[in-house]
């Protein structure tokens, strides 16, 4: 259902690309002060190590961290972490506070 909002069908990717996306996203989030969800370490065992020659994947929006709050998050806590870990005015967010 997630892809129903798009005009085109999703493109298939290989296991190596999926590994790269997940591991790079976790590293990016950790650099901002966020840890993966509980149980990630157990699941990561099945994901496997990222390939050694992985491509560089960019995260954020316009070169800055970008947070869009979800229905089960504490947006104030997330923004406080961004305020603490990012250069002032070097992140954007849309949140229901």
């Amino acid at each position: 259902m997630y892809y129903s909002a798009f005009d085109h069908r999703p493109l298939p990717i290989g296991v190596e690309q999926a590994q790269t996306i997940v591991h790079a996203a976790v590293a990016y989030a950790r650099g901002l002060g966020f840890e993966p969800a509980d149980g990630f370490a157990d699941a990561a065992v099945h994901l496997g190590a990222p390939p050694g020659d992985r491509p560089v994947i960019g995260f954020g929006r316009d070169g800055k961290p970008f947070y869009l709050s979800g229905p089960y998050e504490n947006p104030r806590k997330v923004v406080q972490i961004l305020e603490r870990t990012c250069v002032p005015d070097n992140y954007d967010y849309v949140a229901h506070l």
Side-chain angles (χ1 to χ4, degrees), residues 67-75 96:
Y67 168 60
L68 177 63
S69 69
Y72 306 109
E73 300 169 332
N74 180 341
H96 185 305

Side-chain angles (χ1 to χ4, degrees), residues 2 10 13 23 25 30 32 38 45 47 50 53-54 58 61 69 71-72 75 78 83 85 88 91:
Y2 174 81
I13 63 172
H23 285 292
R30 281 187 170 142
L32 294 173
D38 292 339
V45 171
L47 180 64
D53 59 343
R54 60 186 179 201
R61 182 173 157 200
S69 69
Y72 306 109
V78 173
E83 287 174 351
T85 60
Y91 63 92

Side-chain angles (χ1 to χ4, degrees), residues 20-26 28 57-66:
T20 298
I21 291 168
V22 173
H23 285 292
V26 168
Y28 179 76
I57 297 175
F59 294 93
R61 182 173 157 200
D62 298 328
K64 300 190 291 188
F66 179 78

Side-chain angles (χ1 to χ4, degrees), residues 2-3 5-6 11 15 21 23 35 49 60 70 74 83 86 93 95-96:
Y2 174 81
Y3 291 100
F6 297 94
L11 298 175
V15 171
I21 291 168
H23 285 292
E35 286 299 316
N74 180 341
E83 287 174 351
C86 293
Y93 66 92
H96 185 305

